[in-house]
Amino acid sequence: MKILVVGANGQIGKHLVKFIQENENLEAKAMIRKEEQASYFKELGAEVAIVDLEDEIEEIAKAAEGVDAIVFTAGSGPKTGKDKTLMIDLDGAVKTIEAAKQANVKRYIMVSSFDTSREAIQSAPEAFAPYVVAKHYADEWLRNTDLDYTIVHPGGLTNDPGKNQVQLAEKVERGQVPREDVARVILAALENDTTIGKAFQVVEGNTSVEDAIKSV
């Protein structure tokens, strides 16, 4: 299986590409914005596509040609304004979904926010609300396609070493989760078709990622 990782230069993306390249049955294609970001991925033996999420759908679709799955891990980051949240977390996600259709890629995994419900939008701190809104509508757009989608809702992200131990369900108590373990969850979801059409929250816990995914 060949997997296009969108937002590969992010911390989850880097872990994911590494895990994919370590799996003899999988192959990563890293979609990044700048040539100077490429060396990490080339050292892992991964193919690289230089595409900006603010480019046209057709450019993203070219990067998706010949792949079997797309993982959207991109994000505008906490230091950007509402404009970038709109352009990357919403429009970038929607354009990637549309690019998947153009490139005839059926499998699509979205890394979302922990809670993207209407209630979450209404209760979010003012500075965080635009991000939740963007993720809410990107998730809705994906649900309304015929893609084989999975939506991953991670808790508060940390850079702690992953333990390969999580709690995972449609609804879990809010908590934290290492980015490394989120990447493990994505990889396990790609290898398990029972996650198709599912959305689930994930935080650190006491169940192996493999067993947690099987319970979805």
Side-chain angles (χ1 to χ4, degrees):
M1 184 191 293
K2 188 172 185 179
I3 302 149
L4 179 67
V5 181
V6 178
N9 200 55
Q11 294 176 78
I12 292 173
K14 281 184 169 179
H15 285 303
L16 180 59
V17 172
K18 181 174 180 288
F19 290 150
I20 291 169
Q21 291 301 104
E22 289 171 351
N23 187 316
E24 62 182 18
N25 297 316
L26 304 176
E27 180 184 355
K29 185 175 185 180
M31 188 173 124
I32 54 178
R33 283 194 307 127
K34 301 173 183 175
E35 181 64 45
E36 52 264 38
Q37 298 170 340
S39 59
Y40 172 86
F41 305 101
K42 289 180 178 176
E43 285 173 14
L44 292 173
E47 188 179 347
V48 170
I50 312 292
V51 181
D52 193 312
L53 276 172
E54 294 188 52
D55 291 344
E56 295 300 320
I57 293 171
E58 289 72 22
E59 292 302 308
I60 303 170
K62 282 180 191 174
E65 286 176 3
V67 307
D68 303 293
I70 295 174
V71 178
F72 187 89
T73 69
S76 58
K79 296 179 182 177
T80 58
K82 296 177 184 177
D83 55 340
K84 287 297 181 186
T85 300
L86 182 66
M87 297 305 293
I88 302 302
D89 298 286
L90 176 52
D91 195 48
V94 169
K95 285 194 293 189
T96 306
I97 292 164
E98 294 305 302
K101 296 177 188 176
Q102 284 191 18
N104 294 313
V105 181
K106 287 287 286 181
R107 190 73 172 103
Y108 191 104
I109 294 188
M110 173 77 80
V111 180
S112 187
S113 184
F114 181 72
D115 188 347
T116 58
S117 63
R118 293 298 320 174
E119 294 76 18
I121 293 171
Q122 291 158 3
S123 62
E126 185 177 349
F128 192 61
Y131 175 73
V132 182
V133 168
K135 286 297 192 182
H136 170 84
Y137 285 105
D139 291 351
E140 282 299 300
W141 192 280
L142 181 57
R143 283 192 185 94
N144 288 319
T145 69
D146 63 355
L147 297 179
D148 293 335
Y149 72 84
T150 304
I151 302 174
V152 180
H153 296 280
L157 297 168
T158 74
N159 288 325
D160 296 337
K163 298 176 182 175
N164 198 25
Q165 298 281 310
V166 295
Q167 181 185 1
L168 188 156
E170 188 176 343
K171 291 285 183 185
V172 300
E173 199 73 32
R174 188 178 289 272
Q176 294 186 321
V177 61
R179 288 177 171 87
E180 187 176 356
D181 281 338
V182 176
R184 286 191 174 98
V185 166
I186 294 166
L187 190 64
L190 281 165
E191 295 184 297
N192 195 320
D193 286 350
T194 62
T195 62
I196 291 173
K198 306 282 182 64
F200 51 80
Q201 297 175 333
V202 57
V203 296
E204 57 190 3
N206 301 310
T207 305
S208 72
V209 168
E210 184 181 0
D211 288 342
I213 283 290
K214 286 178 181 175
S215 71
V216 171

